[in-house]
Amino acid sequence: MSDKPEMLAAQLQESYAGLLHTLALLEQEEIEHGRMANDWTPKALIAHVAFWDDVQTRRMQAALDGAAAATGFARPATTNDERAVVDAGRLLDAVLSDADAARERLVHFAAGLSPDQLALTLPEGDSTLVLRERIEHMVRHTRTHHQELWAYCGSMHRWTRPRLRAFLVQQEENLMASIGGLSEAVLTTASVEGDWTIRDILVHILAWREYGYLVVKHWPAVDAGVIAAWRAESDVDVLNAGLCQARAALNMIDIADGLTTYHRRLMKLFDQATDADLASTGDHGWGDMGELSAFFYGLAHHEMEHAAKIWEFRVGR
């Protein structure tokens, strides 16, 4: 974290923007009525983040003003689960509006502090409060709930087998359609995503499809040696550059064949998995645990984001 107010404010903004970006992956019906692992709706999760943004902003302001020095700050009278039940019935637009406003107030408060104020140990009844620690906690709080929401996006709490399968097939079709009709010169020379050409993007996707196949094939725990090439670097940009360089000799036919082959292999493993398998928890390969369905979803989402860049390029042309 940071002891600079402007950096803490930026982290608050970044973590909230990430949460909303993931929320946008869901249909409105799923936001309103979907049930996550803790039985909350995604809408209630957003309301929960907004609630604590507001509470903690008021708490920190009271501590800074000295208003909480003698008596402390009163805790909410209701529990998180009790509020989640109520929030599930609120209008979505109202929840999102309140969440935006609460985060804006929290960011404004953090940005307006001085470095010295951040470091103060402020009296709060029988305890004390340090503003920097509380703001850092709110960044972690948002990221934790973001992870919960992301897990729901790919979980069998959200999907049925036919719907998830159709989604995976649709993303493959979208990717292939994004390059349809483009000449090899365009595929290999035009910069589309930073310095990456479309060929670079496709090779990148191919490399991670190969990785995905190995993880799913060895589910629920792939041996680290099997995926050593994908664990060789801690810096993701260096890693991706190395994976692409290792496939530099591939021509466009090789790349297209490889993409098709690994898509078919992955779908064969999907079809062989039982519903219990898809809902089972395993290692996604980096020590992060999650459902098998979420791993399939994550692979498709990764490709979806890159395909969107190709489509944006085509529209721009």
Side-chain angles (χ1 to χ4, degrees):
M1 287 294 183
S2 171
D3 57 359
K4 296 182 177 179
E6 63 272 19
M7 292 186 68
L8 287 172
Q11 289 164 1
L12 287 168
Q13 290 176 316
E14 171 271 328
S15 60
Y16 183 66
L19 176 66
L20 293 187
H21 179 77
T22 295
L23 184 73
L25 298 174
L26 302 173
E27 301 290 342
Q28 181 171 337
E29 174 69 17
E30 295 172 321
I31 297 173
E32 298 260 18
H33 303 296
R35 292 288 172 174
M36 302 188 304
N38 62 358
D39 203 40
W40 289 10
T41 64
K43 180 172 64 176
L45 181 145
I46 300 299
H48 169 84
V49 171
F51 176 85
W52 284 107
D53 277 4
D54 175 66
V55 168
Q56 296 294 355
T57 301
R58 290 188 290 106
R59 177 185 178 185
M60 289 188 289
Q61 187 66 64
L64 186 62
D65 294 343
T71 60
F73 189 80
R75 299 284 296 179
T78 55
T79 68
N80 291 333
D81 286 338
E82 288 171 342
R83 289 190 300 275
V85 172
V86 175
D87 290 331
R90 293 173 59 196
L91 293 175
L92 178 59
D93 285 347
V95 168
L96 293 174
S97 178
D98 288 351
D100 287 346
R103 181 51 58 111
E104 183 177 352
R105 289 193 297 271
L106 177 56
V107 170
H108 180 76
F109 173 81
L113 297 170
S114 69
D116 288 342
Q117 287 174 320
L118 279 177
L120 288 175
T121 299
L122 302 170
E124 191 182 48
D126 295 333
S127 62
T128 59
L129 183 146
V130 178
L131 296 181
R132 176 181 54 79
E133 294 176 355
R134 188 52 27 188
I135 294 170
E136 289 174 349
H137 169 79
M138 295 310 295
V139 173
R140 292 193 300 271
H141 180 253
T142 310
R143 290 174 177 168
T144 296
H145 287 300
H146 183 186
Q147 290 170 353
E148 292 175 350
L149 186 63
W150 170 254
Y152 169 71
C153 283
S155 76
M156 294 305 285
H157 289 278
R158 177 191 183 193
W159 296 99
T160 62
R161 169 190 289 275
R163 285 185 61 237
L164 180 56
R165 192 185 197 286
F167 174 81
L168 299 176
V169 171
Q170 184 62 61
Q171 300 319 310
E172 165 69 5
E173 293 176 354
N174 288 345
L175 177 64
M176 292 298 104
S178 74
I179 62 174
L182 297 179
S183 69
E184 184 163 353
V186 170
L187 294 170
T188 57
T189 62
S191 296
V192 173
E193 193 171 347
D195 292 333
W196 278 9
T197 64
I198 296 175
R199 180 198 178 278
D200 294 332
I201 293 173
L202 296 177
V203 171
H204 170 75
I205 290 173
L206 173 58
W208 286 102
R209 278 191 186 180
E210 293 171 13
Y211 169 84
Y213 171 73
L214 292 171
V215 171
V216 177
K217 182 180 179 182
H218 294 89
W219 189 264
V222 60
D223 186 274
V226 175
I227 54 172
W230 290 267
R231 295 166 57 95
E233 296 284 347
S234 58
D235 184 289
V236 67
D237 291 331
V238 174
L239 172 62
N240 283 325
L243 292 172
C244 288
Q245 182 59 38
R247 294 158 180 79
L250 297 178
N251 59 40
M252 288 308 305
I253 294 176
D254 295 331
I255 296 167
D257 287 347
L259 288 169
T260 300
T261 296
Y262 276 95
H263 173 71
R264 288 174 177 170
R265 288 179 178 178
L266 281 163
M267 294 312 301
K268 182 177 180 180
L269 291 176
F270 180 92
D271 291 336
Q272 290 173 344
T274 65
D275 287 355
D277 290 333
L278 290 173
S280 67
T281 299
D283 185 353
H284 287 188
W286 292 84
D288 52 328
M289 305 296 289
E291 292 183 33
L292 178 57
S293 62
F295 185 74
F296 274 109
Y297 177 83
L299 288 174
H301 178 264
H302 169 248
E303 297 178 9
M304 181 173 67
E305 291 195 319
H306 286 300
K309 296 296 184 181
I310 300 174
W311 282 114
E312 289 170 8
F313 165 77
R314 296 191 69 146
V315 171
R317 290 184 70 241

